Amino acid sequence: MSETAVDKIFRALMERIVTGDLPAGEKLRQDHIARDYEVSHVPVREAFLRLEAKGLAKSIPHKGMRVTALEPTEIREVIEMRVALEVLALTHAMPRHDAESVSTAEAARRDCDAATDMVTWDRCNRRFHLALLAPCAMPRLLASIEDLHITAARHMFANWRTRWAPRPDGDHAALMTAVQEQDLAQACDLLRRHLRRVS
């Protein structure tokens, strides 16, 4: 499925907010964005609505659309929600994994290990986690998890960007082994520990 103008604008703005390139309180200027992407205001407004739905931006009367502030206290809640929801998704995904889905997850894992900058690593890390869980075939659950990934990534960029360094992820490798061996108990245990350690 080809990416629409709305998708393109939403993803670009989302990444800039997540990485901190667009800081909290920054005004999102509809005119400027429409001009940058050579589109009318309609797809920009739709992209803004998506950002608002994800909690990344908020329309403030007389001030326009602004990037939301990070809440330092929310990260503990996000971690615990990720643990609960991702373990639930993995429990349903494990029996449905096949050679193709395992290959997709393994490719994302390798890309994550090969990343030389944090932006690329974050994209690949999210892709890996979603590839592990996608076979659960529960779209509402996966959408909730994706929203939590975005919030967790914002906190990670805010707190870890200066300390991030490329490295192979042993947790990801162990998770892939457990999935390939269909060891559900081990996979769930690894995922719980991994999320609590890295978030």
Side-chain angles (χ1 to χ4, degrees):
M1 190 169 64
S2 62
E3 192 174 50
T4 66
V6 176
D7 294 333
K8 186 176 180 181
I9 295 164
F10 165 70
R11 294 203 173 279
L13 293 175
M14 180 186 75
E15 188 164 279
R16 290 184 67 196
I17 293 169
V18 165
T19 60
D21 184 42
L22 286 172
E26 182 87 1
K27 185 172 183 178
L28 300 175
R29 300 180 185 279
Q30 201 174 112
D31 289 350
H32 294 183
I33 294 164
R35 191 168 60 243
D36 288 347
Y37 287 91
E38 299 177 342
V39 295
S40 72
H41 286 194
V42 175
V44 178
R45 277 198 298 270
E46 181 61 35
F48 282 2
L49 288 173
R50 287 197 199 175
L51 291 171
E52 202 163 12
K54 299 286 185 191
L56 296 172
K58 185 173 177 60
S59 180
I60 300 171
H62 313 299
K63 291 187 176 181
M65 190 65 73
R66 302 272 177 165
V67 175
T68 55
L70 268 179
E71 294 294 336
T73 55
E74 76 184 342
I75 190 60
R76 176 51 51 192
E77 181 183 12
V78 168
I79 293 166
E80 291 307 318
M81 286 178 71
R82 280 190 69 184
V83 168
L85 298 186
E86 291 192 39
V87 168
L88 174 63
L90 185 61
T91 301
H92 288 274
M94 282 282 280
R96 296 167 177 253
H97 265 292
D98 57 21
E100 185 180 351
S101 63
V102 167
S103 175
T104 299
E106 178 59 19
R109 184 193 72 77
R110 285 197 303 268
D111 289 346
C112 201
D113 282 357
T116 56
D117 63 88
M118 195 173 177
V119 173
T120 304
W121 171 83
D122 176 57
R123 279 193 211 124
C124 297
N125 183 59
R126 281 190 265 160
R127 208 172 85 227
F128 170 73
H129 279 269
L130 289 172
L132 271 187
L133 308 177
C136 77
M138 301 169 85
R140 287 187 181 186
L141 178 58
L142 291 172
S144 296
I145 289 168
E146 194 167 5
D147 287 351
L148 291 169
H149 283 183
I150 291 165
T151 304
R154 269 191 96 184
H155 282 276
M156 205 171 283
F157 273 96
N159 297 304
W160 291 93
R161 189 162 198 161
T162 56
R163 289 175 280 174
W164 185 87
R167 63 173 180 81
D169 194 314
D171 286 354
H172 286 183
L175 267 165
M176 282 308 306
T177 299
V179 169
Q180 287 161 336
E181 293 175 354
Q182 284 291 295
D183 187 339
L184 178 60
Q186 172 74 346
C188 289
D189 189 47
L190 283 165
L191 184 58
R192 280 187 204 97
R193 281 186 287 143
H194 173 65
L195 293 174
R196 289 189 172 124
R197 176 159 50 233
V198 302
S199 299

